[in-house]
Amino acid sequence: MSTPDAAAGAMPPPPRPDAADAAAMPPPPPIPTNSKTNPDLPIAGARADIVRLLREHDFLVVVGDTGSGKTTQLPAYLLEDDESRTDNDTFAPVAITQPRRVAATSVSRRVAEERAVTLGGEEVGYKVRFDSVAQRATKLTFMTDGVLVRECVGDGRLTKYKTIVLDEAHERSVDTDVLFGLVKQAVELRKSTNDKLRCVVASATLDAARFSQYFDGAPVLRVPGRSHPVDIYHSKQQQPMTRFGPADKRYVSAAVDVAVQIHKSQNEGHILIFLTGQDEIENACQALRREAAKLEDTIVVGERGPAMLVLPLYGALPQEAADRVFDAVDASQIRKVVVATNIAETSLTVPGVKYVVDPGYVKQKGYDPERAVASLVVVPISKIAAEQRAGRAGRTEAGQCYRLYSKACFDAMAPETIPEIRRSSMASVALALKSLRIVDVLGFDFLDAPDQKQLACALLELHALGALESHGILTPLGHAMASLALEPDLARAALESVHFTGEGTTDPTVRNAVLAVVAMLSAEDVWYVGGKASDRRGAPSARRDAADQLRDEALDAHARFRHPRGDLISLLVVFSEYERACRSGGERTFARKHSLRDRALRFARKARDQLDAELARCERRENKRRRESSDGRVDLDEVCRALAAGLCLNAAERTLNDAYLLLPSASAHVQENKPEKSLVRLDAETEAPMSRPPDHICFHELRVNRHAKGSFARNVVVVDGKWLKKCRKRVGTADVGLLCGKEASTKAPVVVAATAAAAPAASSATAAAPVVDSGQAVDAARARFLARKKQSKTRK
Ligand SMILES: Nc1ncnc2c1ncn2[C@@H]1O[C@H](COP(=O)(O)OP(=O)(O)OP(=O)(O)O)[C@@H](O)[C@H]1O
């Protein structure tokens, strides 16, 4: 079927998906007279087409310019159409996915405002990780992709909903890509029933033909027109790039300078600056505040313009801090300067933003499958991202976008962002798919099949962590891991702390301690070190001395928390002392006094409470009883042992010169090109409290430090070699073919062949068969035998 491509608004009338159908089409449903939608937005012209096409097709692709009204208006059209109908064929409840929590919360608030209803009532709500403001019957629920993926885990047919709107589909996070396949499957499952599920895929910029083809030849509706025009200015200079990202951080000071210039010379209107991460943002905020203070001092009486209000916005910010960005202010008195990561790139409307400053970089997740380590790298953005950023300036009035890169540089940008699934750890993706009973994960219907090698490694990791049987079925432990809102390694640690798979009762002090560590790892970095890193290197000596002093003071303040058993236990000490401070009402001063990040502590506390409830559900299912702790003291051996069970695939042992040698990853036995032996070191702060370097460590993160020329294990915990041996006993014993529910073959391992990434999913999975040593061969044969036995039992 060819792709129908419709247009709305000022364009010629949309060609129908099929001419014969069009002739027989019923007239478009009338727009309710009491509509609470905005008739002035470009999407309003396409309203009738949206409703009609969605009644006729299971899938609809809507491509509309940024600000045309896809996010806020389209779901409301579906709701109002329901209200004007008398039959039972309704669109609501509708789930609308957003790539990020700040988008889900702020957009739902906007829609509730437009509809003059209370957020969290029957009409509009939101659900994000660790926070749900919605009822079961809420008709329009905005949620992150991740939340909907997790709902699919519990209900593969998504029976709660009648329509799914996959918004910002171009963002291509792992969750979005998984959702494409899951929603497609749910629509298929409900196709032949009278409880149809429909799906709208919406974006400002996506390859409509590819999406249409993937979603069963869905019609494509184009909605041209922005709410307001945006003038774009390019810089004449080119930022030098290296293999590791921009050559220096000049773009941060350049962005600050441009914002200050705008503030001094331009009319009212808020400014939005895009930077790559929290540290950069906090540094830029400090610089902007310094500039604002200087301006205040030099302003001539009577010439005072609006004062600058500098606000950060990044993913790890707690809700209240993020909310400040959206608070209404009098623009004649205050000019907001919001310094944000790319979380402000899609869906968000910061009312009154008129100027966007875009240096053209983003921090992206990368993944090194050889060492099974995730990393973050700063890379140039794609054209799509640049357009989205510019789009933020024209939301509530005409705007301007200042690109700190040349037009030539823009022309050279990649057209779209590489999907996250192509550059991240697949462990949680594979776990989610397995918990949906998708056995042949390598054959899953992805829009873009991820790297087969990474996916195969993820399966091996999950098997090594005890989440998968050798024939690819999820173990009870794996099911429990999938039900926790955590990465598989941390979920494993949490479940180990309650002896999920073992005998005995749970020691609540150990359980709570592990949960505290896991919650702290889910928050932003708690250790706050004042002074800019760039000031400590190569700055004039006075600035360097001041920065060094700030840093030393912070490290001194942190030293009291540092524990000889490693950073993870130090985090536990911080958390416990913070809790004590909260109980005595001293939480407000605690962070400042000890040079810690208050937001991280508050976030961790909330995350711990949520995890506590989730883990309690698992314990109830397992019928675990809690033992009364005799004296309330935490058995740190048990805490470290539980953490080791989760992090055992990130483990290293000491070599003679106090460097640490990484233990083989779960997939090392099937690697065709064996990875180089990798040495890592400990940070000075981790090492300081230890009387001697430990023999074995596990870690949560590995950082490559280009200045110190080496890799450093971060968030380390000291573990016992015996524990590691026990937790790692499944490492290297699995067969990827079997893990995908197929027969193991004795041929070479497809998973790591140089051509594996390019091979189509299904065929590579069929052929997959790791090379195994004789011990592993026996295990694999036994697994095959058990799988066959199980199959024949099922047949009987
Ligand atoms: N919080 C808000 N305050 C003021 N106006 C808003 C707000 N949210 C949305 N709007 C208005 O509604 C318009 C449509 O917003 P909406 O988010 O629905 O557009 P969109 O097409 O989804 O854009 P994008 O593709 O950028 O997400 C905006 O351009 C803006 O004019």
Side-chain angles (χ1 to χ4, degrees):
M1 183 176 169
S2 65
T3 306
D5 208 348
M11 303 291 280
R16 301 292 176 231
D18 183 286
D21 285 355
M25 252 173 215
I31 295 172
T33 46
N34 58 348
S35 173
K36 293 177 192 161
T37 56
N38 183 345
D40 299 329
L41 288 175
I43 202 168
R47 177 178 184 143
D49 286 322
I50 290 170
V51 170
R52 185 180 49 237
L53 286 170
L54 203 54
R55 292 221 168 273
E56 291 158 4
H57 298 264
D58 295 331
F59 295 102
L60 172 64
V61 177
V62 176
V63 186
D65 275 340
T66 56
S68 57
K70 301 175 297 298
T71 309
T72 53
Q73 310 298 300
L74 193 152
Y77 296 164
L78 304 183
L79 183 61
E80 292 182 357
D81 185 66
D82 276 0
E83 285 164 358
S84 62
R85 288 178 77 91
T86 48
D87 62 21
N88 273 337
D89 183 21
T90 52
F91 284 130
V94 187
I96 310 105
T97 63
Q98 295 293 322
R100 286 177 266 269
R101 56 190 285 138
V102 62
T105 54
S106 72
V107 166
S108 61
R109 199 169 308 135
R110 168 71 182 177
V111 174
E113 260 167 39
E114 275 192 352
R115 308 194 63 72
V117 294
T118 313
L119 188 62
E122 287 211 340
E123 207 160 302
V124 186
Y126 72 81
K127 284 188 204 166
V128 295
R129 190 176 167 213
F130 300 134
D131 194 9
S132 167
V133 179
Q135 304 175 1
R136 204 185 150 77
T138 297
K139 289 183 180 143
L140 303 181
T141 309
F142 291 82
M143 59 186 72
T144 51
D145 301 323
V147 165
L148 193 59
V149 169
R150 278 162 52 72
E151 290 197 359
C152 280
V153 172
D155 171 15
R157 300 165 80 95
L158 287 168
T159 41
K160 243 190 261 175
Y161 307 107
K162 295 272 189 181
T163 311
I164 308 290
V165 180
L166 300 172
D167 197 11
E168 311 298 355
H170 65 274
E171 277 266 325
R172 306 294 306 275
S173 66
V174 170
D175 285 336
T176 329
D177 273 22
V178 170
L179 262 187
F180 293 155
L182 294 178
V183 172
K184 196 174 161 186
Q185 186 181 289
V187 169
E188 186 60 40
L189 287 172
R190 285 168 57 181
K191 210 176 203 145
S192 52
T193 68
N194 53 8
D195 182 27
K196 271 172 72 122
L197 178 69
R198 296 169 172 108
C199 169
V200 185
V201 183
S203 169
T205 30
L206 52 71
D207 181 347
R210 254 184 67 231
F211 274 81
S212 165
Q213 193 183 19
Y214 176 75
F215 286 108
D216 299 348
V220 177
L221 190 67
R222 289 189 192 275
V223 184
R226 262 200 175 139
S227 3
H228 304 280
V230 176
D231 292 330
I232 293 178
Y233 305 98
H234 284 101
S235 132
K236 291 205 171 57
Q237 280 145 24
Q238 198 88 3
Q239 271 270 334
M241 279 296 288
T242 73
R243 197 158 67 85
F244 300 102
D248 54 50
K249 293 255 177 185
R250 257 178 295 176
Y251 63 91
V252 179
S253 46
V256 169
D257 291 348
V258 171
V260 172
Q261 282 311 318
I262 295 171
H263 180 61
K264 285 204 261 190
S265 61
Q266 300 290 325
N267 295 335
E268 270 172 31
H270 303 314
I271 304 172
L272 175 60
I273 305 176
F274 284 97
L275 290 177
T276 70
Q278 184 181 338
D279 285 349
E280 249 179 31
I281 289 175
E282 294 291 1
N283 287 340
C285 285
Q286 275 177 24
L288 281 161
R289 287 185 193 118
R290 274 197 303 271
E291 290 297 327
K294 270 194 236 157
L295 281 176
E296 287 284 300
D297 289 346
T298 53
I299 268 169
V300 180
V301 180
E303 283 184 7
R304 186 174 294 271
M308 231 197 247
L309 174 65
V310 181
L311 297 166
L313 181 63
Y314 44 81
L317 268 191
Q319 191 69 48
E320 319 91 78
D323 286 350
R324 287 193 65 201
V325 168
F326 304 96
D327 286 348
V329 292
D330 176 354
S332 65
Q333 297 298 314
I334 290 176
R335 189 195 301 273
K336 281 193 225 170
V337 183
V338 179
V339 192
T341 58
N342 62 334
I343 69 167
E345 200 172 281
T346 38
S347 288
L348 289 197
T349 300
V350 180
V353 164
K354 194 170 166 185
Y355 308 100
V356 163
V357 181
D358 173 18
Y361 295 112
V362 66
K363 194 181 276 177
Q364 254 183 12
K365 244 196 213 166
Y367 187 67
D368 178 355
E370 303 285 88
R371 298 159 89 195
V373 169
S375 63
L376 284 172
V377 270
V378 174
V379 296
I381 55 172
S382 66
K383 282 195 178 111
I384 281 188
E387 278 157 23
Q388 285 284 341
R389 288 180 178 192
R392 299 309 107 190
R395 315 278 292 180
T396 44
E397 57 187 306
Q400 296 170 4
C401 173
Y402 295 82
R403 291 182 172 158
L404 308 188
Y405 45 91
S406 63
K407 175 72 172 53
C409 192
F410 172 79
D411 291 338
M413 280 173 176
E416 45 183 52
T417 313
I418 300 169
E420 192 186 346
I421 212 155
R422 290 269 172 93
R423 48 184 169 80
S424 53
S425 150
M426 294 287 107
S428 46
V429 176
L431 184 59
L433 291 173
K434 283 286 186 186
S435 66
L436 289 162
R437 300 196 185 85
I438 297 164
V439 183
D440 183 8
V441 166
L442 289 178
F444 182 72
D445 184 10
F446 287 105
L447 177 64
D448 285 308
D451 185 325
Q452 296 288 292
K453 177 176 162 185
Q454 284 183 25
L455 204 47
C457 290
L459 290 170
L460 294 167
E461 264 170 53
L462 291 177
H463 174 264
L465 287 175
L468 290 178
E469 306 280 10
S470 52
H471 54 285
I473 301 298
L474 221 52
T475 60
L477 174 67
H479 275 292
M481 282 163 67
S483 73
L484 298 178
L486 287 170
E487 280 288 312
D489 52 356
L490 297 183
R492 175 76 180 87
L495 289 160
E496 184 68 20
S497 76
V498 296
H499 295 285
F500 185 84
T501 51
E503 297 295 315
T505 47
T506 305
D507 178 346
T509 56
V510 172
R511 171 195 187 278
N512 294 344
V514 171
L515 278 194
V517 174
V518 164
M520 289 290 270
L521 288 176
S522 306
E524 63 185 300
D525 191 9
V526 73
W527 311 108
Y528 177 75
V529 178
K532 283 198 280 181
S534 55
D535 279 355
R536 289 194 289 274
R537 287 189 298 267
S541 64
R543 247 168 60 197
R544 202 170 55 224
D545 289 350
D548 281 346
Q549 193 187 339
L550 279 176
R551 182 174 190 271
D552 291 347
E553 279 168 13
L555 294 183
D556 280 352
H558 298 165
R560 67 186 293 267
F561 300 107
R562 292 287 181 186
H563 198 279
R565 289 189 187 233
D567 311 320
L568 299 193
I569 304 304
S570 308
L571 290 180
L572 173 61
V573 176
V574 171
F575 190 87
S576 310
E577 292 208 13
Y578 176 63
E579 288 246 279
R580 206 167 305 140
C582 291
R583 282 196 293 273
S584 61
E587 72 268 34
R588 285 189 186 283
T589 50
F590 182 80
R592 203 166 342 113
K593 188 165 151 204
H594 301 296
S595 196
L596 299 168
R597 285 198 174 86
D598 188 36
R599 286 187 302 260
L601 290 164
R602 280 185 285 138
F603 180 92
R605 212 159 169 237
K606 209 168 168 190
R608 193 276 320 266
D609 291 347
Q610 166 100 16
L611 290 169
D612 184 46
E614 287 178 6
L615 194 60
R617 276 197 289 277
C618 296
E619 286 177 279
R620 269 199 301 280
R621 275 200 297 271
E622 260 300 270
N623 239 344
K624 285 285 169 196
R625 264 176 305 136
R626 300 214 187 147
R627 156 157 64 88
E628 278 313 307
S629 179
S630 49
D631 56 1
R633 288 172 74 92
V634 186
D635 180 346
L636 281 187
D637 267 350
E638 274 296 290
V639 174
C640 294
R641 198 187 59 75
L643 292 168
L647 300 175
C648 62
L649 304 180
N650 280 345
E653 72 185 353
R654 190 160 63 93
T655 62
L656 285 178
N657 57 0
D658 289 349
Y660 285 80
L661 187 65
L662 292 178
L663 298 188
S665 69
S667 55
H669 68 297
V670 293
Q671 303 284 354
E672 224 169 40
N673 306 315
K674 293 264 181 213
E676 295 289 308
K677 286 185 175 175
S678 304
L679 288 178
V680 299
R681 296 192 169 276
L682 300 184
D683 276 333
E685 288 82 55
T686 305
E687 240 174 4
M690 296 173 173
S691 51
R692 68 181 196 90
D695 289 338
H696 294 92
I697 55 163
C698 286
F699 54 90
H700 186 243
E701 204 183 321
L702 201 61
R703 282 226 179 134
V704 179
N705 185 328
R706 276 186 288 135
H707 296 288
K709 293 198 175 58
S711 297
F712 287 79
R714 290 198 71 232
N715 284 332
V716 165
V717 61
V718 177
V719 297
D720 190 318
K722 286 200 291 291
W723 304 338
L724 277 184
K725 211 166 164 192
K726 198 167 163 213
C727 339
R728 291 175 53 90
K729 67 178 187 296
R730 289 165 70 116
V731 170
T733 63
D735 174 310
V736 176
L738 282 175
L739 289 176
C740 282
K742 307 200 172 215
E743 284 288 297
S745 99
T746 51
K747 293 197 195 107
V750 158
V751 280
V752 286
T755 52
S763 61
S764 60
T766 318
V771 168
V772 284
D773 66 31
S774 54
Q776 290 155 9
V778 172
D779 281 351
R782 187 168 47 235
R784 281 196 301 277
F785 166 71
L786 288 174
R788 274 200 301 275
K789 202 166 146 193
K790 199 166 175 193
Q791 253 177 7
S792 70
K793 245 191 195 165
T794 331
R795 265 186 239 120
K796 276 179 211 160

